[in-house]
Amino acid sequence: MKFEIALSLLLVVLVGITIIQGCNGKAVQFIFGDSLSDDGNNNRLSMTLAKANLPYYGIDFGNGLPNGRFTNGRTVADIIGDSTGLPRPPAFLDPSINEDVILENGVNYASGGGGILNETGTYFIQRLSLWKQIELFHGTTESITKKLGKQASDEFFQEARYVVALGSNDFINNYLMPVYRDSWTYNDETFVEYLMETLEKQLLVLHKLGARKLMVFGLGPMGCIPLQRVLSTTGKCRDRANKLALSFNKAANNLLISLEPKLTNASFKFGDAYDVVDDVIRNPYKYGFTNADSPCCSLGRIRPALTCTPASTLCGDRTKYVFWDEYHPSDSANELIAKELIKKFGFTGVGSPSPAPESDIAPSPSN
């Protein structure tokens, strides 16, 4: 399972939420991201080690069975879409995907373990990097152009809102691990510069493919996810990882400010929820949580548990835990983060609200 930095969650994820006005006037989403917004792509990658295909993933979503989301319920992208009346886009690797489905529901390209850099997360064996996700999106634009014609297709994609939400894996599952070349090739400053150089190229490609209204979500306090705490000698947040997240956020914001005036009809915005997530972790009771330093789904004292499994023990009340597993936030935390981003971006409804998950979160019978 993908050792993904949950708090990056926060920022969801390059949660590439692309809000589009389809030819029938209905809004859809195109999502680019990592495990914080993956809704099933990795479950269809035969060789990947980053999957959410075992209980108790998905326990508080729909029928309660694993669905590819790396949490107990909804992702931040799900919640933002629901709040603005957008349909939940199926995973790109869903076999039911075709042009009609895309026009009706959009596509989710997010992949657990994916990063801005191609080399990130290689020990997962298979994952879709941002470059790969953009390549798949390019194929989508070509398919829609064949179906609608160039003029209608251009209008379809240029009316979209794109969100890019990756970056945490580039640190947690690359730079901060000595097994990766990047960890000894760069220092903290030059690695962030390398990420920005790569991200700039990716954003330019997206603009060329039609992206005009684009949002990049920043990172959260990566050093405070349960995995990072348990790997420290004190059980406290790891300061270096948090400082890297702040450096990434500052650089990404500056990049968007620099790019926007240079590109035709571009509206590039940055979403930063670092402060509110940091406050939730430091003052959980203020937000209705009782635990912000350990996972709800774990193997008890066996830490870190690399994934949630049927042998895991669940916390007594899943709504009171900030983190679902060692890396990812819970449905309740995702809801708080989504609301913060909705407020910062001024999202408003664009259609009829999507139905809530069929299964509501309830206290677990186990403790």
Side-chain angles (χ1 to χ4, degrees), residues 23-42:
C23 56
N24 59 357
K26 181 176 181 179
V28 301
Q29 303 181 74
F30 289 90
I31 297 178
F32 304 86
D34 52 26
S35 64
L36 297 173
S37 44
D38 189 345
D39 68 351
N41 282 313
N42 275 33

Side-chain angles (χ1 to χ4, degrees), residues 52-193:
N53 61 345
L54 295 173
Y56 294 99
Y57 289 106
I59 190 172
D60 296 306
F61 186 102
N63 60 11
L65 298 177
N67 55 60
R69 291 169 173 81
F70 288 78
T71 184
N72 60 309
R74 300 161 297 171
T75 66
V76 171
D78 287 329
I79 298 165
I80 291 178
D82 293 349
S83 299
T84 53
L86 301 172
R88 292 178 182 165
F92 176 81
L93 295 179
D94 187 318
S96 69
I97 284 283
N98 57 37
E99 288 82 3
D100 291 332
V101 171
I102 293 170
L103 291 169
E104 184 73 14
N105 300 291
V107 184
N108 186 330
Y109 303 93
S111 173
I116 293 170
L117 305 175
N118 284 335
E119 61 264 34
T120 290
T122 53
Y123 61 73
F124 295 125
I125 303 178
Q126 273 187 305
R127 73 273 175 242
L128 306 178
S129 68
L130 180 54
W131 275 123
K132 183 62 179 180
Q133 293 178 40
I134 292 172
E135 178 185 332
L136 297 175
F137 176 66
H138 186 194
T140 298
T141 65
E142 292 179 334
S143 296
I144 297 301
T145 298
K146 289 180 181 178
K147 183 176 182 66
L148 300 182
K150 189 176 189 311
Q151 182 175 344
S153 176
D154 286 349
E155 181 177 345
F156 178 80
F157 289 108
Q158 289 180 18
E159 285 301 313
R161 297 179 191 172
Y162 299 77
V163 179
V164 182
L166 300 90
S168 62
N169 282 319
D170 294 293
F171 293 100
I172 299 300
N173 292 311
N174 183 354
Y175 178 63
L176 292 175
M177 299 185 69
V179 296
Y180 284 92
R181 175 184 294 183
D182 288 346
S183 68
W184 68 79
T185 303
Y186 301 94
N187 59 38
D188 290 2
E189 180 179 354
T190 57
F191 185 68
V192 172
E193 290 174 355

Side-chain angles (χ1 to χ4, degrees), residues 224-239:
C224 294
I225 66 172
L227 173 67
Q228 292 293 298
R229 285 180 182 268
V230 78
L231 292 178
S232 72
T233 57
T234 64
K236 296 181 179 180
C237 297
R238 304 183 85 172
D239 188 56

Side-chain angles (χ1 to χ4, degrees), residues 26 46 67 192 204 255 263 273 280 334 347 351 358:
K26 181 176 181 179
S46 61
N67 55 60
V192 172
L204 290 174
L255 172 62
L263 300 175
V280 169
N334 280 337
F347 286 134
E358 297 172 15

